[in-house]
Short mmCIF file of all heavy atoms in Angstrom, two decimals:
data_model
loop_
_atom_site.label_atom_id
_atom_site.label_comp_id
_atom_site.label_asym_id
_atom_site.label_seq_id
_atom_site.Cartn_x
_atom_site.Cartn_y
_atom_site.Cartn_z
N PHE H 287 -20.16 35.33 -24.33
CA PHE H 287 -18.81 35.51 -23.76
C PHE H 287 -18.06 34.19 -23.58
O PHE H 287 -16.88 34.18 -23.26
CB PHE H 287 -18.89 36.25 -22.42
CG PHE H 287 -19.60 35.50 -21.32
CD1 PHE H 287 -18.88 34.77 -20.38
CD2 PHE H 287 -20.99 35.51 -21.23
CE1 PHE H 287 -19.53 34.09 -19.37
CE2 PHE H 287 -21.63 34.84 -20.22
CZ PHE H 287 -20.90 34.12 -19.28
N LEU H 288 -18.76 33.06 -23.81
CA LEU H 288 -18.12 31.74 -23.68
C LEU H 288 -17.69 31.26 -25.07
O LEU H 288 -18.21 30.29 -25.62
CB LEU H 288 -19.08 30.75 -23.03
CG LEU H 288 -19.57 31.11 -21.63
CD1 LEU H 288 -20.62 30.11 -21.15
CD2 LEU H 288 -18.41 31.16 -20.64
N SER H 289 -16.72 31.96 -25.65
CA SER H 289 -16.32 31.69 -27.03
C SER H 289 -15.63 30.35 -27.21
O SER H 289 -15.56 29.84 -28.33
CB SER H 289 -15.40 32.81 -27.53
OG SER H 289 -14.24 32.90 -26.71
N GLU H 290 -15.11 29.76 -26.14
CA GLU H 290 -14.39 28.48 -26.25
C GLU H 290 -15.24 27.29 -25.78
O GLU H 290 -14.73 26.18 -25.67
CB GLU H 290 -13.09 28.53 -25.44
CG GLU H 290 -12.12 29.58 -25.92
CD GLU H 290 -10.79 29.53 -25.16
OE1 GLU H 290 -10.50 28.47 -24.55
OE2 GLU H 290 -10.06 30.52 -25.18
N LEU H 291 -16.52 27.53 -25.56
CA LEU H 291 -17.40 26.48 -25.06
C LEU H 291 -17.54 25.34 -26.07
O LEU H 291 -17.80 25.58 -27.26
CB LEU H 291 -18.78 27.07 -24.75
CG LEU H 291 -19.76 26.15 -24.00
CD1 LEU H 291 -19.23 25.81 -22.62
CD2 LEU H 291 -21.14 26.80 -23.91
N LYS H 292 -17.37 24.09 -25.59
CA LYS H 292 -17.51 22.92 -26.45
C LYS H 292 -18.67 22.03 -26.03
O LYS H 292 -19.33 21.42 -26.87
CB LYS H 292 -16.23 22.09 -26.44
CG LYS H 292 -15.07 22.72 -27.18
CD LYS H 292 -13.90 21.73 -27.27
CE LYS H 292 -12.79 22.30 -28.13
NZ LYS H 292 -11.67 21.33 -28.30
N VAL H 293 -18.92 21.94 -24.72
CA VAL H 293 -19.95 21.04 -24.20
C VAL H 293 -20.90 21.84 -23.32
O VAL H 293 -20.46 22.53 -22.40
CB VAL H 293 -19.32 19.89 -23.39
CG1 VAL H 293 -20.41 19.00 -22.80
CG2 VAL H 293 -18.38 19.06 -24.26
N LEU H 294 -22.20 21.73 -23.58
CA LEU H 294 -23.20 22.45 -22.80
C LEU H 294 -24.33 21.50 -22.47
O LEU H 294 -24.98 20.92 -23.36
CB LEU H 294 -23.74 23.65 -23.58
CG LEU H 294 -24.87 24.45 -22.88
CD1 LEU H 294 -24.40 25.01 -21.55
CD2 LEU H 294 -25.37 25.56 -23.79
N ARG H 295 -24.58 21.33 -21.16
CA ARG H 295 -25.66 20.47 -20.71
C ARG H 295 -26.73 21.33 -20.03
O ARG H 295 -26.46 21.97 -19.03
CB ARG H 295 -25.14 19.43 -19.73
CG ARG H 295 -24.34 18.34 -20.40
CD ARG H 295 -24.05 17.21 -19.46
NE ARG H 295 -23.61 16.03 -20.14
CZ ARG H 295 -23.42 14.84 -19.58
NH1 ARG H 295 -23.66 14.69 -18.29
NH2 ARG H 295 -23.02 13.81 -20.28
N LEU H 296 -27.93 21.30 -20.60
CA LEU H 296 -29.05 22.06 -20.06
C LEU H 296 -30.28 21.15 -19.86
O LEU H 296 -31.41 21.64 -19.87
CB LEU H 296 -29.40 23.22 -20.99
CG LEU H 296 -28.46 24.43 -20.94
CD1 LEU H 296 -28.69 25.34 -22.14
CD2 LEU H 296 -28.68 25.21 -19.65
N SER H 297 -30.06 19.86 -19.68
CA SER H 297 -31.18 18.93 -19.52
C SER H 297 -31.87 19.17 -18.17
O SER H 297 -31.28 19.71 -17.24
CB SER H 297 -30.69 17.49 -19.60
OG SER H 297 -29.76 17.21 -18.57
N HIS H 298 -33.15 18.77 -18.11
CA HIS H 298 -33.94 18.87 -16.88
C HIS H 298 -34.01 20.31 -16.38
O HIS H 298 -33.71 20.59 -15.22
CB HIS H 298 -33.38 17.95 -15.80
CG HIS H 298 -33.42 16.49 -16.16
ND1 HIS H 298 -34.54 15.72 -15.97
CD2 HIS H 298 -32.49 15.69 -16.72
CE1 HIS H 298 -34.30 14.49 -16.38
NE2 HIS H 298 -33.06 14.44 -16.86
#
Side-chain angles (χ1 to χ4, degrees):
F287 65 97
L288 301 174
S289 59
E290 298 185 20
L291 189 64
K292 288 188 175 183
V293 177
L294 177 60
R295 287 190 164 187
L296 283 165
S297 61
H298 297 276

